Amino acid sequence: MKLRLPILATLIATMGFVTLAPASGPASGREHIRFDADWRFRTDPNSTIGGIPVAAWQWTAASGVTDLNVTATPADGADVRWRRARIGQDVFRNRPGFAWFKADLGTTVHAEPGMKRVLHFESVDDNCQVFVNGVMLKKHYVWDEPFDVELDSVWNEGLPNTAIVLVQNTGGGGGIMGMVTLRAAKDQKVPDFAKPEYNDSDWRVVQLPHDYLLEGTFTPTADAGHGSLPQIPAWYRKTFTLPKSYQGKTLTIEFDGVYRNSIVWINGHKLGKHSSGYIGFRHDLAPFVKYGERNEITVFVDPRQSEGWWYEGAGIYRHVWLTVTDPIHVAPNGTFVSSEMRKALAMLTVDTMISNETGREQGCTIVSEVYDPTGLKVVTVKSSTPVGMYHSRNLTQQISVMKPMLWSIEKPQLYRLHTTLVRNNVSTDAVDTVFGIRTLRFDPDKGFFLNGKAIKLKGTCNHQDFIGVGIGMPDSVLEWRIKKLKEMGSNAYRCSHNPPAKELLDACDRLGMVVMDENRHLGNAIGGKTPHGAKYDDLPELRELILRDRNHPSIVMWSMCNEEPLQGTPEGAQIFKAMMNEVHLWDTTRPITCAMNGGWGSGITTVQDLQGGNYNPTGYDAFHKKFPKMPFFGSETASAVSTRGEYVNDRQKGYVSAYDVNAPPWAQPAQVAWKALADRPFMEGGFVWTGFDYKGEPTPYGWPCVNSHFGIMDMCGFPKDSYYYYKAWWGDKPSIHVYPHWNWKGKEGKPINVWVQSNCDQVELFLNGESLGMKKMPRNEHLEWTVNYAPGALVAKGYNNHKLAVTDRVETTGAPFAIVLKTDRTQLVSDSEDVTMVEVQILDAKGRIVPEAANMVKFTASGAGSVAGVGNGDPSCHEPDKASQRSAFHGLCMVLIRASSTPGPIKLTASSPGLKGASTSFQSKPAMAKDAPNPR
C-alpha cells in the first residue's frame, strides 16, 4: 500500500538501484547525545505545584437552570439527590444541559506568607460557575482549558470547606473531565526549584532511567492497585554547558518517557507541560540556552493522577536525549521504509521528511543507502528537492532490492537505511533507520502468516516493571526479559496497555519476537478509561506512537486501546474510526485492532481490521460463525493466578497454589485457555495475561500482596510451574517437568497430587526407583498422579516413539548449606546503566535447591559496579527493592549488578549466616555512547 502523508508538499522520485560501494562514514552536523547522567533529584510530598487531588465528587441535575447567572447553590435536603461522580464521567449522556457538582475541600490548607490558596481545574467541559462556601468566585467559558480559582477570600481555615460547580454542557459529553487540585502557591511565574540560581547541592544525584516510587515504603494505606507505594511528586535538575559551536544549530531535548504530568523549564523559562506518562515528547532549547555558560534544566513530575490501574511508577524512567542538528535536517522520526514483495524482488518505499527552520527556501539532496543484514551496501539513490522557509517536505523514493533477506521469528534479519542530507555538496545531516523486509497475512480461516508461513501467535501480555528498578528498566533488562520469553517458546509480545520503550522494540527486532504495539487511550482521554463524550479531534499521543514505531519489523499490528466501556457502542466505533484514519496517515502496512472484553460483533468490531478478544473462549466459535471474514485472535487470555513454590491457597499470607487450577471469575486456567486457541485453526493465537508478575493489581487477594499473581514467571523471571506447560506446547523440543517439590516432612504416607507437564507421547513416573505407571499425554494437556509421600526421588521420564526422550526429577533435600550465584552475562558496558541479573540459589550439601529456604542474603559489590536492586518473587514480601540484602523465597532470590561509568573489574559477594558464601566476577568495558557535553 502507498503511504499517505498529510503534508504541504510531496516529491516522489523513482530510481533504480546503483552499484554498491563501501559504506560511508557518519555525516557531520547531527549529534544525538544521551542525557542520562548527573541529574539531581528530590521528592516533594507537599508540593504546591501539583496540590492535593480533589477526587470525591458528587453531582445532581440542575433543574430549571438556563444560564450561568445563578446566584445560589442548591441546599442540601430531601429534595436534592446527590450521586457519586468520577473525574472524567459524562453525567450528561451526550446531551446539552446543566448539572451541579459538589466536593468537600477539607479543613486545612496551610499557606505561608506570600502564598495563596488555589483550586485548580485541569478540564471542565464545557462552561462553569465555581462556588466555594456559598460564594460565587469564578465563571469559566472555555472547555478543556485549565484554570485557577483563588480561595483566600472565602476560605475557613480549620472548618469544613465545600466547592460547588455548576457545569453547562453545550453538546457531546460534559462534566469535570480533568484532575482538580487544592494547593497553596506563591504568586510567581517560576517555582523556586526551577530557578537557575537555586542551590540544589544537597539533592541526591541519580542516573536515568529512574523510578523513584520504588524507593518508598509499602503501606496498606496506599493504593493496592499501584503496588501499595505512596505516589508523591518530585523534581529533577541537571546542569550542562554547550559549546559555542552549537550556536545557529537546532537544539532539541527529547524525553522518551516521564511518569507523569511533567513540567519542564530551561534556565527559568517554562518549555511546556506533558500529561502522558507513556509516550515521549520534545522541546526546542535554542531560544533559551546560553553557549559556553551554565544551563539548568528542571523537570517536575507528579504521579498522583493515574493513567492505569496497575503499578505505574514515577520519574524520568526512560532515556533523555539532546539532539543537535543543522537548521535544515531530517525531521524527528522522519524516515519510513515500507516494503512490498514481488516474487524475488522487494520494492521499498522510502519516505524522508525534511524540515527547514530557516527564513528562506533551501535546496537539498537526500542520499539513501540501503545495507543488507551482512553489512553490505546493496543500493544507493539520490533525489533533490527545494524546501520552503519554515516548512517541512516529504521526499518519497522507490528502491528495488533483489532476493531480499527476510525478517522472521527464526531468523530476524535486519536492513539499515543510511540517510544523508546534502546541501551545496556538503553533508549536513545523517540518520540511520533499521528496518526489516517481511510479509503479513491474517487469514480469517487459517490464521496468521509471516512470509507465507503459518504462525500461531504464542504471546504474552506484559507491563513495564521489574524487580530492583521498577519502570526504570535499563536496556539490558528489557532485552533479558524478551530472551526469557523466547526460551519458553513465546513468539509474540503485547505491550500492555501502553507504548513501550523504543529499546524493547529494538530487542524484539533483533531477537525475533512479533509485537502487538498498544496505544494507551481510546481518543484523547487521560484517565484509566475513556468516558462517554470524550474528544478525539486531535490525537497527538497516537500520532507520536505511529511515527516513532512504524519502522520496527517486529510490529505486526497496531492496538488502539484495551477493554474500553465504549467498545461495543456506536460512539466507540466513531472514536476508533478517527484513530484508524490517523494511523493511516502515517502507516497503511499493518492491521489495526484493540483488546475487547465485551461487545464482540458491535461497536469497534464493525470498523477494525482484526478482532481481539479478551477471555471468553466459549465464544470463539459463535463469533467466527457470525463474522466468518473477520480474523480473530485472543488479545488477552488465561489470567491464571499462582505463586511460585506454593501448593495450597493461603489468603492470610497472600499465596495461591501453583497447580493450574486458580483463575478469577472472568478468566481460565492456562490449559483451558491455550487449548481453546490451539484447537481452532481460524484463531490466530493469543496473548497470555501475563508473561511476568508485576507490581500492583494484586489478585485474588489484597494486602499483604503488593504485586500480581498472573505471571507465567514471577517478578524475578523465575519460572512458575505453568511455565513448563507453555514450554512443552509452545516449544519444538522434548520437554518434561514434574512437581511439586519433594520436601513434605510430616506428611509421610499421605497423598500428594503430582503433576507432569510434557509434550512427549508417554510419561512414566517413578518414586525411589519404583514405577507408578505410564500414561499417554493428551495433546495440550498435562498428567496427574496421586502419590503417597515418601522421602527420596520422584522421577518423570518422557518417551517418544517408545524411546526415552527427556527426564526430570525432584528430590528430598537436606538443610540449606551454601549459596550459588548464576548469571548469563559477565561482560558489561561502563555507562552507569548496564545491568546484569544474578540468580541466587540456596543449596543443600549435595547441590540441590532447598525449596523451603528463606535465608536472608547480603550482597557486596566492589570495583567498577554496584548493587542496583534486589528481589525474590514473593508477592507478599515488603522488603525494599533498593537494598543490599534480600531473603530467599523458596530457595531463590535475585540481585542486579550495575556497571559504573569507569571500566574495570567488578566483584559480587553474597553471604548469609550459617551458609557457605559465594562470589562471582564481572568486567565492564568502555561505553560507546557519550553523555552530555561538559556535564557537571
Side-chain angles (χ1 to χ4, degrees):
M1 298 179 182
K2 181 180 173 58
L3 179 70
R4 294 173 287 169
L5 292 168
I7 55 176
L8 298 179
T10 302
L11 174 69
I12 300 178
T14 304
M15 307 287 291
F17 60 89
V18 178
T19 306
L20 36 113
S24 60
S28 61
R30 176 180 290 257
E31 294 185 68
H32 193 54
I33 304 163
R34 196 166 66 186
F35 230 47
D36 290 351
D38 297 320
W39 287 81
R40 279 97 61 214
F41 167 80
R42 64 156 290 174
T43 58
D44 191 10
N46 300 313
S47 173
T48 59
I49 299 294
I52 303 167
V54 180
W57 288 88
Q58 297 173 286
W59 78 279
T60 189
S63 302
V65 175
T66 59
D67 58 33
L68 293 181
N69 291 312
V70 175
T71 58
T73 60
D76 290 332
D79 58 336
V80 179
R81 181 190 172 201
W82 292 98
R83 289 165 283 186
R84 292 180 61 184
R86 302 186 314 273
I87 296 291
Q89 178 181 352
D90 171 25
V91 303
F92 294 95
R93 298 178 180 267
N94 213 34
R95 294 189 295 267
F98 292 81
W100 293 101
F101 291 79
K102 180 174 72 169
D104 177 17
L105 301 181
T107 60
T108 302
V109 176
H110 179 65
E112 297 178 358
M115 304 178 75
K116 57 186 179 183
R117 298 174 182 85
V118 170
L119 188 63
H120 175 79
F121 290 83
E122 194 67 25
S123 174
V124 174
D125 192 352
D126 292 295
N127 309 314
C128 67
Q129 271 184 282
V130 181
F131 298 78
V132 175
N133 296 335
V135 179
M136 202 282 287
L137 297 180
K138 192 178 186 73
K139 293 182 182 180
H140 186 75
Y141 286 98
V142 181
W143 74 270
D144 202 34
E145 178 185 82
F147 64 95
D148 290 334
V149 180
E150 296 186 13
L151 304 177
D152 285 347
S153 63
V154 299
W155 186 259
N156 297 319
E157 185 68 15
L159 297 174
N161 295 271
T162 302
I164 295 183
V165 183
L166 176 62
V167 175
Q168 178 189 25
N169 185 42
T170 61
I176 298 177
M177 310 306 283
M179 188 176 183
V180 182
T181 52
L182 179 64
R183 65 194 186 207
K186 289 185 178 180
D187 189 11
Q188 57 180 358
K189 293 183 178 179
V190 182
D192 288 342
F193 290 165
K195 293 177 179 177
E197 65 272 18
Y198 180 81
N199 182 2
D200 59 16
S201 58
D202 61 343
W203 291 22
R204 182 158 58 97
V205 177
V206 298
Q207 173 79 30
L208 308 182
H210 181 231
D211 175 6
Y212 68 82
L213 208 66
L214 195 71
E215 300 166 3
T217 300
F218 296 109
T219 171
T221 61
D223 178 24
H226 283 79
S228 298
L229 289 167
Q231 295 165 284
I232 58 176
W235 293 83
Y236 294 83
R237 286 168 59 94
K238 181 178 174 70
T239 301
F240 60 98
T241 303
L242 298 174
K244 293 184 178 180
S245 60
Y246 283 1
Q247 285 186 296
K249 299 281 189 179
T250 296
L251 301 175
T252 305
I253 187 82
E254 302 178 26
F255 293 86
D256 285 352
V258 181
Y259 194 88
R260 73 171 297 275
N261 216 18
S262 59
I263 307 173
V264 182
W265 293 264
I266 181 71
N267 296 331
H269 298 275
K270 183 178 177 180
L271 294 176
K273 181 178 180 179
H274 187 74
S275 62
S276 172
Y278 292 110
I279 197 68
F281 58 97
R282 60 186 65 86
H283 294 296
D284 180 13
L285 296 183
F288 309 109
V289 295
K290 297 172 287 187
Y291 300 94
E293 302 180 44
R294 280 173 47 122
N295 294 278
E296 190 75 41
I297 191 164
T298 306
V299 182
F300 174 71
V301 178
D302 190 351
R304 288 176 294 184
Q305 183 182 11
S306 303
E307 287 186 68
W309 48 92
W310 56 91
Y311 177 78
E312 298 183 279
I316 307 177
Y317 73 97
R318 292 179 183 164
H319 296 302
V320 178
W321 306 90
L322 177 67
T323 301
V324 185
T325 64
D326 190 83
I328 301 93
H329 56 270
V330 177
N333 300 318
T335 56
F336 179 42
V337 184
S338 57
S339 61
E340 181 182 348
M341 286 299 300
R342 300 176 183 175
K343 296 184 178 180
L345 174 72
M347 287 299 302
L348 306 183
T349 300
V350 178
D351 285 277
T352 307
M353 185 70 75
I354 309 163
S355 291
N356 177 9
E357 298 183 11
T358 73
R360 61 188 181 90
E361 182 178 271
Q362 302 281 350
C364 60
T365 298
I366 291 293
V367 181
S368 295
E369 301 168 295
V370 176
Y371 294 82
D372 72 13
T374 69
L376 184 68
K377 183 163 65 174
V378 295
V379 63
T380 299
V381 298
K382 299 180 182 180
S383 307
S384 299
T385 181
V387 184
M389 63 179 183
Y390 303 116
H391 185 74
S392 294
R393 187 168 195 176
N394 188 70
L395 176 69
T396 301
Q397 299 168 310
Q398 302 291 341
I399 300 175
S400 304
V401 175
M402 296 295 296
K403 296 182 179 180
M405 304 178 191
L406 301 183
W407 185 93
S408 67
I409 293 168
E410 301 79 13
K411 201 169 184 180
Q413 302 182 104
L414 295 170
Y415 282 76
R416 178 172 62 93
L417 170 70
H418 184 71
T419 303
T420 305
L421 191 152
V422 178
R423 290 193 303 119
N424 301 321
N425 296 318
V426 176
S427 177
T428 59
D429 194 15
V431 175
D432 283 313
T433 304
V434 176
F435 69 97
I437 300 173
R438 81 295 186 256
T439 65
L440 307 175
R441 179 163 65 93
F442 292 84
D443 190 287
D445 294 315
K446 300 178 181 179
F448 171 59
F449 290 79
L450 180 63
N451 302 324
K453 177 183 177 182
I455 302 288
K456 202 79 166 181
L457 296 175
K458 303 169 181 175
T460 62
C461 306
N462 292 282
H463 284 313
Q464 59 173 17
D465 69 302
F466 190 65
I467 60 124
V469 292
I471 63 172
M473 286 193 282
D475 301 350
S476 52
V477 176
L478 296 170
E479 178 159 325
W480 182 86
R481 281 162 56 100
I482 298 300
K483 287 180 177 178
K484 294 291 287 186
L485 293 169
K486 289 274 290 187
E487 289 171 5
M488 182 178 66
S490 178
N491 61 17
Y493 187 101
R494 179 184 170 204
C495 307
S496 304
H497 302 292
N498 51 265
K502 294 182 290 187
E503 292 74 21
L504 181 136
L505 297 175
D506 292 340
C508 291
D509 290 344
R510 290 191 303 270
L511 298 173
M513 177 77 76
V514 300
V515 174
M516 178 180 176
D517 198 359
E518 191 153 289
N519 181 59
R520 177 65 201 97
H521 302 112
L522 179 67
N524 282 333
I526 59 173
K529 300 292 184 181
T530 298
H532 176 61
K535 307 298 180 182
Y536 55 92
D537 52 329
D538 186 32
L539 299 161
E541 294 178 24
L542 176 60
R543 184 181 311 121
E544 181 69 16
L545 167 68
I546 304 304
L547 288 172
R548 189 195 72 168
D549 294 350
R550 57 187 174 167
N551 285 301
H552 289 281
S554 57
I555 298 172
V556 298
M557 64 180 85
W558 300 115
S559 174
M560 298 295 96
C561 56
N562 171 73
E563 295 186 350
E564 288 288 346
L566 299 177
Q567 60 195 350
T569 68
E571 181 183 7
Q574 188 175 9
I575 298 173
F576 197 92
K577 186 62 177 178
M579 298 177 76
M580 292 183 71
N581 291 339
E582 181 67 36
V583 173
H584 287 151
L585 293 174
W586 313 106
D587 177 30
T588 60
T589 67
R590 298 171 176 91
I592 301 173
T593 186
C594 72
M596 298 177 65
N597 67 335
W600 296 3
S602 59
I604 289 175
T605 296
T606 64
V607 294
Q608 66 184 347
D609 299 320
L610 307 175
Q611 176 66 45
N614 287 8
Y615 312 108
N616 191 25
T618 58
Y620 292 168
D621 293 334
F623 181 88
H624 181 60
K625 183 177 181 180
K626 189 173 181 180
F627 300 92
K629 295 184 179 180
M630 173 67 79
F632 194 12
F633 70 101
S635 45
E636 193 169 309
T637 68
S639 271
V641 287
S642 63
T643 305
R644 176 178 58 82
E646 295 287 334
Y647 297 97
V648 293
N649 294 345
D650 190 329
R651 178 179 293 274
Q652 184 174 0
K653 292 182 179 179
Y655 298 148
V656 187
S657 168
Y659 294 117
D660 184 28
V661 294
N662 293 293
W666 70 85
Q668 297 80 37
Q671 179 175 301
V672 174
W674 177 246
K675 272 182 63 67
L677 296 170
D679 294 347
R680 290 166 171 81
F682 66 84
M683 294 298 292
E684 320 279 344
F687 296 86
V688 176
W689 189 267
T690 55
F692 297 87
D693 276 345
Y694 54 93
K695 274 189 169 54
E697 205 175 9
T699 307
Y701 315 124
W703 185 267
C705 299
V706 294
N707 64 254
S708 77
H709 294 79
F710 293 116
I712 301 171
M713 290 175 272
D714 69 15
M715 285 285 297
C716 298
F718 297 142
K720 302 180 186 179
D721 292 305
S722 61
Y723 170 99
Y724 298 96
Y725 171 78
Y726 291 106
K727 185 176 182 180
W729 299 112
W730 286 3
D732 56 4
K733 296 178 181 179
S735 175
I736 196 166
H737 173 69
V738 60
Y739 60 102
H741 62 74
W742 211 237
N743 282 26
W744 299 101
K745 186 177 180 180
K747 292 190 175 183
E748 288 79 4
K750 295 182 179 180
I752 302 293
N753 189 15
V754 174
W755 284 36
V756 174
Q757 303 287 3
S758 181
N759 54 9
C760 294
D761 298 338
Q762 294 176 305
V763 173
E764 188 172 12
L765 187 67
F766 297 83
L767 176 60
N768 296 329
E770 180 181 346
S771 176
L772 302 180
M774 181 179 288
K775 296 184 179 183
K776 183 178 180 181
M777 175 62 71
R779 184 163 182 78
N780 295 308
E781 296 186 14
H782 72 282
L783 294 174
E784 295 184 34
W785 282 261
T786 299
V787 180
N788 292 329
Y789 175 66
L794 190 67
V795 179
K797 297 183 178 182
Y799 297 86
N800 287 329
N801 297 319
H802 306 290
K803 295 182 180 179
L804 181 64
V806 64
T807 300
D808 188 38
R809 66 192 295 128
V810 289
E811 298 181 4
T812 307
T813 72
F817 174 77
I819 300 170
V820 168
L821 303 176
K822 291 187 175 183
T823 183
D824 63 346
R825 288 178 64 226
T826 57
Q827 298 293 317
L828 281 75
V829 178
S830 55
D831 62 357
S832 297
E833 295 184 16
D834 196 13
V835 165
T836 188
M837 279 54 68
V838 182
E839 180 178 334
V840 183
Q841 300 179 346
I842 309 298
L843 307 183
D844 69 1
K846 294 184 177 181
R848 300 169 298 192
I849 295 176
V850 181
E852 310 103 317
N855 305 68
M856 180 64 73
V857 183
K858 183 178 180 180
F859 304 104
T860 303
S862 59
S866 61
V867 173
V870 293
N872 62 10
D874 181 350
S876 300
C877 183
H878 299 160
E879 298 167 23
D881 281 46
K882 294 294 186 183
S884 58
Q885 64 179 19
R886 189 70 165 198
S887 60
F889 182 59
H890 293 297
L892 299 174
C893 60
M894 178 173 280
V895 58
L896 277 59
I897 295 299
R898 186 192 305 271
S900 69
S901 60
T902 304
I906 306 167
K907 184 177 181 180
L908 169 65
T909 301
S911 61
S912 183
L915 299 184
K916 181 181 178 181
S919 64
T920 189
S921 297
F922 310 86
Q923 184 72 34
S924 68
K925 60 182 180 180
M928 299 298 294
K930 63 178 179 177
D931 211 302
N934 304 317
R936 187 176 76 172

